Amino acid sequence: MGSCLSAESRSPLPGSPSAALGVRKRKNSKKRFGSRSSSFDYKKDDHLSKIPGRVFFNGATEVASLYTQQGRKGTNQDAMVVWENFCSRNDTIFCGVFDGHGPYGHLVAKRVRDSLPQKLNAQWEVNTKSEEVLREISLNCSSVNSEEASFISADEESRVSVDLEETDKEPEIFEILKESFLKAFRIMDRELRVHAGVDCFCSGTTAVTLIKQGQDLVIGNVGDSRAVLGTRDTDNTLVAVQLTVDLKPNLPAEAERIKKCRGRVFALQDEPDVARVWLPNNDSPGLAMARAFGDFCLKDYGLIAVPDISYRRLTEMDEFIVLATDGIWDVLSNKDVVNIVAAAPTRSTAARAVVETAVRAWKMKYPTSKIDDCAVVCLFLDSNTNDVSSALMTKEKEQLASAEQAQAQAKKEDANGSIVRTDKLMVQESSKDDEYDAAEDEMLLEDYSALEGVTRVNTLLNLPRLTPTKIA
C-alpha cells in the first residue's frame, strides 16, 4: 500500500519534536531544509551520482533495468539504486528499492538509499578483517602442543564442536554479510533519529536490498517491499520464487512482538485485510507494516528496523531477480511480474513494462482509488545483455511451431476439398507488442480476493489524534 491515508497525516504528533516547534517551525521550514546541512547533503549526493556503475534513476545497465513512476498521492516517495562493482568490489552488485511514507517519506527513502550502501560496505570491511584475525588466531591455536591442549575442558571441547557444526551450515560470506546487514541497518536507523535535515518522527521507509557476489546472494529486508526470483524448474518452465517475507503486522511473530511492547494491531472496518500498528491509547498512526526505518513515534511500541536476512546460492537455472515496492505487489502476483519481465521485448525495458502493467491494473481494479507510487529493479543473472529473454524465445518458438502446424493442416484440408477455417488458425499476424498487451490484459482480469473491495489507502493513517499525557 501507499503512505498516508489523507492529507491530515501531514500534521505531526503533538509532543513530537516537530510539534514542539509549533508555528515557528512552519515559518522556518523552508530555511531548515535549505540550511548548511542541506547544502552539505547536496554536495554528497552530487558525489554519489558520479560514482561509476551506480544508477538511481530510470534507465538500464548491462545487467539491470530500473524504473519508477509517481502515483496519484503526491510526491513520488519511492527510491531505487543499482551499484555495480559495489564499492570497488569485483563481481559484486548492490541493489535496493525503498518505499517512503509519511510527510517526509520521500526524504527518508532517499537518505537510506544514499547512506545505507556505504554503511553496509564499511561494516563488511570491518567484519572481513575481524574474520581474518579470528582465522589467524585459530590457526595459531591449532599448533598448540598436546600438553597445553590437555587443559582444554570438556565444556570447551563441546562448544568448539557445536560452533564448527553451525559454521558448516552456512557459507562464510553469509555469516560476514549477515552481521554487516544487522549493524548497518541499526546504525542507519540511529542516524535517522538524530538527522537534522529530515523529520523521521512520523515518517519512514521500507527497504529491500541485496548483495550479489558471484553466485552468492544475500538479502536484507525491512517492511513490505519484496524480492522475487525468476527461475527454471526441472521441466524448464519459468517459475516465480518469493525471496522475502512481507513484514506486516498480521504475521503472528510480528504481532506478538508489537503487543508485548504495548502496541496494538488491528484492521479498520472498511479494510479488513490490512492490519495496522497503533499506539497504546490512541487510534493513530495506523502503520501497515511491522518493520521500517524511521517512524520513531512507534519505535517504543514494537516497530523495529531489524532486517530479515536470507541467503541463496544461485544456479544456472536462475534468470533474474525483481525488487519492487508494494505499489506493484498490491495489484500483480509474483507470477505476473516474472512473466512480464520474461516477455519484455528487451531487458532495458523490463522494469518499465512491470510498472506500466501495474498502473493499468490499478486503473482497472480500483478505478476510484489513487494509484500508488511504483519502483522496480530487475537484475539479470546471466551474461547476456540487451537481448530478448530466453523465456520469450521459447515462447516464440512454440508459437511458430503451432502456426506451422496449423498452416499445414489448413493446406491439407484445402487439398482434400474441406472448408478452410482461417479464422481459427493459430497464425501470429499481429505484432509482438499487440500480443504482449493482450497477455497483460488477461493478467489484470484475474481475481485478487485479498484486496477485493478494499478502498486503496496509504500505509499511515491520520497523524495524529493524541496528547503527550496519554502516551505517558
Side-chain angles (χ1 to χ4, degrees), residues 50-152:
K50 295 179 181 179
I51 296 178
R54 181 181 179 275
V55 181
F56 58 95
F57 47 80
N58 292 350
T61 70
E62 291 186 351
V63 297
S65 173
L66 305 85
Y67 196 81
T68 183
Q69 181 170 312
Q70 178 180 334
R72 298 293 180 85
K73 299 177 179 179
T75 304
N76 188 352
Q77 296 189 307
D78 288 359
M80 58 191 180
V81 65
V82 171
W83 193 337
E84 298 178 32
N85 294 321
F86 177 52
C87 291
S88 301
R89 294 175 181 269
N90 295 330
D91 198 26
T92 303
I93 299 175
F94 174 89
C95 298
V97 295
F98 313 89
D99 186 356
H101 52 263
Y104 306 112
H106 57 296
L107 299 178
V108 183
K110 290 179 181 177
R111 175 57 48 191
V112 175
R113 176 199 68 190
D114 294 342
S115 299
L116 182 62
Q118 298 180 88
K119 288 176 171 51
L120 184 54
N121 176 65
Q123 294 302 318
W124 191 0
E125 291 181 353
V126 170
N127 291 331
T128 300
K129 292 178 181 178
S130 299
E131 188 70 21
E132 292 174 353
V133 171
L134 291 174
R135 189 183 297 110
E136 184 175 347
I137 293 174
S138 177
L139 291 173
N140 291 336
C141 290
S142 65
S143 64
V144 71
N145 59 42
S146 59
E147 292 182 0
E148 293 173 331
S150 64
F151 289 99
I152 299 178

Side-chain angles (χ1 to χ4, degrees), residues 275-331:
R276 296 180 181 275
V277 184
W278 312 84
L279 288 166
N281 303 312
N282 297 273
D283 291 342
S284 61
L287 185 66
M289 63 193 69
R291 305 190 192 189
F293 285 110
D295 295 306
F296 294 109
C297 63
L298 285 171
K299 280 291 163 66
D300 292 333
Y301 302 102
L303 185 76
I304 61 176
V306 179
D308 182 37
I309 304 171
S310 58
Y311 170 83
R312 184 183 180 93
R313 178 71 180 179
L314 297 171
T315 69
E316 61 182 8
M317 303 298 286
D318 301 329
E319 294 196 0
F320 55 82
I321 298 170
V322 180
L323 306 180
T325 56
D326 66 342
I328 299 295
W329 310 114
D330 279 349
V331 291

Side-chain angles (χ1 to χ4, degrees), residues 30-48:
K30 292 184 179 180
K31 181 178 180 181
R32 177 183 178 185
F33 291 100
S35 61
R36 285 195 311 174
S37 174
S38 297
S39 177
F40 173 78
D41 292 341
Y42 173 79
K43 293 179 180 179
K44 180 180 178 181
D45 294 346
D46 186 57
H47 167 70
L48 288 172

Side-chain angles (χ1 to χ4, degrees), residues 375-396:
V376 175
V377 169
C378 300
L379 175 64
F380 296 95
L381 303 176
D382 58 27
S383 58
N384 297 327
T385 58
N386 297 324
D387 295 328
V388 177
S389 70
S390 59
L392 181 59
M393 294 174 64
T394 302
K395 183 178 179 181
E396 287 179 340

